[in-house]
Each structure stands twice: as structure tokens, then as C-alpha cells.
Amino acid sequence: MGERERSSVRLSRRQLLGAATTVAGASLWSKTISAAAADESTRKLVTRADYDVIVVGGGFSGVTAARDLQKNGLRTLVLEAKGRIGGRTFDTQFRGHHIELGGTWVHWVQPAVWAEILRYGMEIEETPGAVPDQLVAIDGEKRFTVRSAAQMDEINRGLQQYFDESAAVWERPYDSGYRWKEIVARDAMSTADRLKAIKLTPLQHAFVVAAVEAQSNCPIEQTSYVDMLRWWALCLNSPLIAPDALARFKLSAGTGSLVQKIAADGKSEVRLSTPVRRIEQQGGAVLVTPLGGKSVSARAVLLAVPPRVLKDIEFMPALSAMKVEASRNGFPSSGIKLYAEVKGRLGKQQWLSSGKKQGNGLFWTYAQGENSTLMVGFCPRAEELDANDEEAVQGVLRQFEPSVEVLACTSYAWHRDPFAQGTYTGMRPGGMTRYFTELARPEGQIWMAGGDIGDNSWRGFIDGAIARGSRIAREISETLLT
Amino acid sequence: MSRCSRRPFLVAFGTACLVSSTIAFSGEPCNPEQGADVYANKCAICHSVVEGHNGVVGPSLFGIIGRIPARAPAFSYSASMTNLKDPWTERRIDWFLQDPPARVPGTYMAFTGLRDPAARAAVVCYLVRLTK
């Protein structure tokens, strides 16, 4: 079973009548209205639509979809709530360093984003700490400085033990249906539950917990084990490939540069600072109303907003209850990504803690200055660490390097951003069986895109966002152009 | 965050050493050099202090003291921010920066706040100097 077939939602008689009212006036509310009259009014409404497609959300998924739709000859409008495109990617400057506050890393095992990198001739550069000279891991009172090949082997054996089921459960990680029964059988498990089924050494435990929490960007007990297995399968089930695929290569010119190139290539109209308040389906067309703005209509809408945001948009008719529930409860609280510039050149460091004693986290060298080192890191509990407080961040980092001095730190509070409401995350335990298929299901002329939805292999990554946007653009194109 | 030092501040626009004064509402020493550091470390990833040029995701803070909220040209604000009527004063900025999303629920500003009073006083001092 691949992604389930699109089930078209038949328009109710009331919806058709609503469309007829808009087009032809109240007299069409007559009980004697014929089906033919309703069909005709619907046709007029669709014909008069301002655009063929309105894309709601200007992240990588929405912008890629808009490009593809426009290139297919469909007039496309992008409505983006923020004053910039890029969604949950955001590159900027911090103390002379070019940093990425959201999605960052790319790799050639991520096919969709790599195709775009090649297409637009983008350069990549390395993140030094992804291949560390020194690795420090902490598990409770135990502190390990990893220097030997034997220690690395021990870590890799721990990872392989933890992810031992990934190849079988996600034999085809881009197709959840291929081994759906295996997914269902494990869907209730959290990533913490898996730890109970295996036996790890303290070094392995430190590494596995920190890696899993950084990868899901949430506390280990809140995220889905089976969803985590997918990410490992995408890394070809290999502890040698995973660090490169997840944290080594970034775009030299920044993620903003790539999304701008995609948007410029698409030549779609983009309206920034235009949050959408209401989406109303009227007899084959869709009316989209921005906050404080004039409604625009289209033959179809492609939704490319983070799932957590869906609940804040009013839909007529309402979105399925399960989608709204997924928006409210389907995704765990997200952690926080932070940058800390520390005194001195520390070299290529990688620091991990399972958080038994002091704050959990995974940090590695992002860049080196003349006499400073910029560390990037993830802490799984955003509300427990003030990532703008040098003293607090220094406290976390000193568990790895007791003399470290934080000169400055920064982060972007995605969990407080009303148009994101968090970073990427895996699903909650149970989310695959309860929400996964429903979140991807279109409703009438509303189609579901975004990096967190559907079988896009690298769901939760820039790659997954691009893949989903491109796929849904094709599906809409096929529907509207045939 | 260490307290403000009293080192002379070479004004960004090139002129003289400004004498440190005191932030009236907090009693913290006003040191715009310290404030420029706080601004660079905590604000500049989003904002700008260049007149007429907004930041990557935040409005220009040039001339903010005395300005009615949500009035920076060519920047789209939340309804919550637009609904504020009282002008930004030193005291109100200090209050807001403690926890922006809690102080003005519905703001688009995704910043967890500056907990350190000395850091807030310093950046307020810096913004005051920009206004003058």
C-alpha cells in the first residue's frame, strides 16, 4: 500500500447552493432549483476564480509547489503569513557568522533537495563538528571523552542495537504502506520505550538518547519510535552515513538563497505578511480570506502550513475532526536550537548528554573565529532552557567542558512563533496509525502539503517539504488540467 | 550578563564620547556601548537599526522611543501590536522585553525575552541614543 488513494469529497447539495447564491443571488435558494442550474452556477464560479491555485504557506513546500504549478500553466498565488518566505528555515547573521536558525543540513541521500541544489547550482560547505576531533558524552555521573576507535565502535554498536528494526520496518522508507503492519505493531511505542527492550552501556546510552532527542527535537518519552526508525532507514541504516546526512553539509549561501531561487524561477505572485484567516469551499472553488484583507478565489488551494497551525484557520466546511485533533495533539512539544559563541578555538567538538544530571543536549562546532568557537546545538525542552541567557547556556555546556566561557548565545523561539508553533518533530506515539493518512488526505479542493505530511521519505526535513510540494503540485495539475 | 561598564561609547555615527547617564526608571547606569552589544547579540538576528530599512523579520528600531507601536514604515504587524496605543517609552520597552509573547499575546515576535534587568536597561539605553 502506498499513500492512500485520494478520496474526492463530493460536494453536498448545500455547498452547491451556497455557490449558486454567491454567483447568481438569493433567488437560487428556491426549492425548485435544478441540478443543472447548480452545475451551471458552479461552473461560473470556477471560471471566474481569481487564480487557478492559491498556495497557503511560503515555506519550501509551498514555494516549490507554486513553481511547479506555475510552470504547468496554472496561475498561482502564494499567501505567506510572515514578511519573508522560507517557513521554518531562516538564515541570518550572528556576531559575524552566517547562521541558520531553522532547517539547515542537506545531503545527496536526500533526493528532492539535492535535485534543487544541482538545478540552481548551489554550493555546500561543511559543519566542522560533524566530523569531530573530540567527542564528549555524558550519562549521569559518567563523562566519556571519546578518542579511540574502540569507543567509536562501542557507540556504533549501541546505535545499531537501538535501530535494529529499521531495515525491516521501513524496508522502503518512502512508502509507509509497504510494511504497514510492522509500523502498526510498533506505533504505540515511544523512543524511550525502545530503551527498555535493549541493553546499552553508559556510553551508548548517552549517545543514543542525545542523538534521538536531537533528531526528534523533543524529549525522548514524547516521540514515536517507529517514526524515528524511518529516519535511520533513510540514512541507509548506517551509523557511518547518519552523521553526514543529518548534520554535516549546509548551503554556503544559506537556505534563504535556495528558496528565493525556487520562487524566482516559479514567477508566481507572492503576497507576504498575509496570514490566512478563513478558507471556504464554494461549489468547486475556494475562497481564501486573509486577516484584514480582501478574499481571493481559486479553483484549488494547496495548504503548506505547519500542521500545528491548521487549527488556527477557519474552514468552511470544517476540516475533518481528525485533522484538527492532529493539529492540536499529534505532534509533541518541540525543543530549541541554539547557537553559542564560546571563548577560544576549541576545534572540532561534539558534545552529547543524556540529561540524567544536567540539561540534555547535543552540540557541535558550527564555525571557528579567530579566538572563538561557534557551537550549534539542540536541547529537547524549549521551556526549560532560556537559550538567550548566557549563564544558563554556559551551565549546560560546562558539563562537557568545565572551563568553557559563553560570550554570547542566540536562538529563534519557533515554539512561540504563531505561524510555526514549533520546529520539526516526529509524531507522538500512535500518530502514524491515528493521524498520518488523514493528515495527507485532501478535502474537496483543498490539498495537503508541507514538510510534515505524507510519504515523502525525508518528512520533517527541507527535502520532505520540497518532495511533498512537488508531488501535490503534480496531483493538482493533473486534476485541473484534465 | 555582566553589569554595564562605564567605558566611553564611540557613537556609531562617528562623533563624540557620550557620557553615561542613568536609566531613569531602573536606576541602572546607561551605557550605550553595552547596549550595542546586547542589541548585536539578541536583537540583530531579526531587527535593524537603520532608518527606513527593516530587518530580516523585525522592524527597524531606529527612532522607536516615543513612537506609537506598530508604526515602522513598510512592516506588517500583528493585530495585537497594532492595537497598542501608548507610545514606546523606556519603561514600556523594558516591560515588553521581559517576555514579548506574554506581554503582548498574539505578537509575531518569537523571542523568549531578556531576563536580565541590566541587559534590558543597556539595550533601552542604546535605543534611546538611536532616537536622539
Side-chain angles (χ1 to χ4, degrees):
Chain A
M1 182 184 74
E3 192 170 20
R4 293 184 185 168
E5 289 295 311
R6 176 173 193 269
S7 58
S8 60
V9 177
R10 287 185 179 279
L11 292 169
S12 67
R13 180 176 177 81
R14 181 173 178 174
Q15 286 172 271
L16 289 170
L17 288 171
T21 304
T22 305
V23 174
S27 63
L28 287 180
W29 280 102
S30 161
K31 289 179 181 178
T32 60
I33 183 173
S34 68
D39 287 347
E40 175 62 14
S41 58
T42 297
R43 188 190 65 75
K44 285 180 181 174
L45 186 64
V46 171
T47 304
R48 291 174 183 176
D50 300 317
Y51 295 87
D52 291 313
V53 185
I54 294 173
V55 172
V56 180
F60 268 97
S61 196
V63 168
T64 302
R67 178 197 62 189
D68 293 359
L69 289 161
Q70 191 80 23
K71 282 182 180 292
N72 285 344
L74 294 167
R75 285 185 310 126
T76 304
L77 169 69
V78 179
L79 299 179
E80 165 54 44
K82 295 175 182 291
R84 60 175 183 83
I85 57 174
R88 285 170 288 170
T89 60
F90 171 21
D91 61 312
T92 185
Q93 295 289 323
F94 172 61
R95 293 171 66 90
H97 300 284
H98 181 207
I99 61 171
E100 297 275 1
L101 292 163
T104 306
W105 291 280
V106 295
H107 193 275
W108 45 91
V109 298
Q110 300 170 359
V113 71
W114 201 256
E116 302 298 342
I117 288 169
L118 294 178
R119 179 177 188 159
Y120 296 110
M122 305 291 289
E123 300 288 333
I124 59 166
E125 62 187 23
E126 300 223 12
T127 309
V131 186
D133 293 330
Q134 178 173 281
L135 192 154
V136 178
I138 293 177
D139 193 53
E141 298 295 329
K142 294 188 169 62
R143 180 180 186 280
F144 303 91
T145 302
V146 178
R147 294 193 181 92
S148 70
Q151 286 174 304
M152 283 308 302
D153 285 346
E154 181 182 342
I155 290 171
N156 289 341
R157 284 197 306 276
L159 288 166
Q160 284 169 324
Q161 190 184 167
Y162 185 88
F163 291 110
D164 183 52
E165 299 184 310
S166 64
V169 176
W170 290 97
E171 188 174 346
R172 297 183 183 181
Y174 57 89
D175 182 359
S176 58
Y178 194 70
R179 290 282 180 259
W180 183 249
K181 286 181 181 174
E182 301 294 333
I183 291 170
V184 172
R186 294 161 180 82
D187 193 35
M189 287 176 66
S190 72
T191 47
D193 291 334
R194 173 63 176 168
L195 289 172
K196 298 169 191 165
I198 58 176
K199 187 168 177 59
L200 299 175
T201 67
L203 173 59
Q204 291 171 334
H205 184 268
F207 201 98
V208 166
V209 170
V212 166
E213 288 192 328
Q215 190 51 37
S216 59
N217 203 24
C218 75
I220 194 164
E221 66 276 6
Q222 291 186 20
T223 193
S224 161
Y225 164 63
V226 78
D227 208 19
M228 181 61 58
L229 288 180
R230 178 179 57 87
W231 280 338
W232 193 253
L234 288 165
C235 295
L236 310 182
N237 307 294
S238 167
L240 301 179
I241 291 176
D244 281 7
L246 302 174
R248 183 170 176 184
F249 301 105
K250 52 194 168 69
L251 293 164
S252 304
T255 51
S257 178
L258 178 57
V259 78
Q260 290 286 353
K261 284 179 186 293
I262 296 171
D265 190 15
K267 299 182 178 65
S268 298
E269 180 183 347
V270 179
R271 294 184 192 171
L272 300 175
S273 304
T274 310
V276 166
R277 177 176 63 84
R278 177 184 168 98
I279 299 175
E280 183 175 7
Q281 300 197 57
Q282 293 185 348
V286 192
L287 202 60
V288 179
T289 307
L291 201 63
K294 187 181 172 189
S295 299
V296 280
S297 60
R299 298 163 67 195
V301 160
L302 182 146
L303 267 182
V305 299
R308 292 185 179 98
V309 176
L310 281 177
K311 62 182 181 295
D312 297 334
I313 300 174
E314 180 187 359
F315 289 88
M316 288 290 289
L319 276 189
S320 75
M322 195 64 84
K323 279 195 180 75
V324 177
E325 184 186 311
S327 178
R328 294 187 192 287
N329 305 318
F331 297 86
S333 63
S334 68
I336 195 152
K337 179 183 186 181
L338 64 91
Y339 288 86
E341 188 175 46
V342 303
K343 198 171 180 179
R345 285 179 65 87
L346 302 185
K348 298 176 180 179
Q349 297 284 337
Q350 198 170 113
W351 299 339
L352 309 96
S353 172
S354 64
K356 279 184 178 175
K357 184 181 178 187
Q358 204 162 7
N360 319 35
L362 169 55
F363 305 86
W364 66 105
T365 303
Y366 190 82
Q368 298 199 67
E370 282 189 11
N371 192 30
S372 66
T373 304
L374 185 66
M375 303 293 291
V376 63
F378 292 87
C379 294
R381 294 174 174 81
E383 300 293 355
E384 291 183 13
L385 174 68
D386 181 355
N388 282 303
D389 182 337
E390 279 75 11
E391 207 169 308
V393 172
Q394 183 169 277
V396 173
L397 296 185
R398 282 192 169 175
Q399 63 184 316
F400 307 105
E401 178 56 61
S403 64
V404 76
E405 182 181 340
V406 172
L407 301 171
C409 55
T410 194
S411 71
Y412 185 84
W414 295 102
H415 60 298
R416 307 288 288 271
D417 179 337
F419 304 124
Q421 303 186 26
T423 64
Y424 72 94
T425 55
M427 287 187 151
R428 283 189 190 280
M432 284 299 295
T433 46
R434 190 163 178 82
Y435 303 124
F436 177 74
T437 304
E438 173 57 23
L439 268 175
R441 185 180 65 82
E443 297 195 31
Q445 294 307 111
I446 297 175
W447 305 68
M448 307 300 292
D452 299 300
I453 286 177
D455 262 332
N456 311 303
S457 62
W458 287 87
R459 178 159 40 83
F461 286 72
I462 296 171
D463 181 88
I466 291 172
R468 182 71 183 176
S470 187
R471 173 176 175 161
I472 300 304
R474 179 189 59 75
E475 291 184 10
I476 292 177
S477 298
E478 286 177 359
T479 301
L480 296 188
L481 295 172
T482 55
Chain B
M1 183 71 62
S2 61
R3 289 177 64 86
C4 303
S5 72
R6 287 186 175 271
R7 284 180 294 165
F9 168 59
L10 287 175
V11 182
F13 312 107
T15 55
C17 297
L18 295 175
V19 178
S20 296
S21 57
T22 303
I23 295 290
F25 67 88
S26 67
E28 294 283 347
C30 177
N31 187 319
E33 184 184 38
Q34 181 77 17
D37 281 346
V38 175
Y39 172 82
N41 295 338
K42 304 301 175 193
C43 316
I45 61 168
C46 296
H47 289 279
S48 151
V49 287
V50 179
E51 186 175 14
H53 292 277
N54 294 317
V56 185
V57 296
S60 171
L61 300 177
F62 181 89
I64 190 170
I65 304 294
R67 193 164 74 198
I68 302 293
R71 294 297 188 277
F75 191 83
S76 183
Y77 292 87
S78 65
S80 307
M81 192 61 76
T82 305
N83 288 338
L84 297 180
K85 301 302 178 197
D86 295 330
W88 289 117
T89 61
E90 297 165 40
R91 186 181 294 277
R92 279 184 67 77
I93 292 175
D94 175 78
W95 166 83
F96 178 67
L97 285 179
Q98 291 171 33
D99 189 346
R103 292 290 187 256
V104 182
T107 179
Y108 297 160
M109 183 167 163
F111 180 61
T112 51
L114 280 175
R115 303 283 186 268
D116 180 3
R120 292 198 306 275
V123 80
V124 167
C125 168
Y126 174 66
L127 296 175
V128 168
R129 301 295 168 143
L130 284 174
T131 300
K132 289 179 178 173

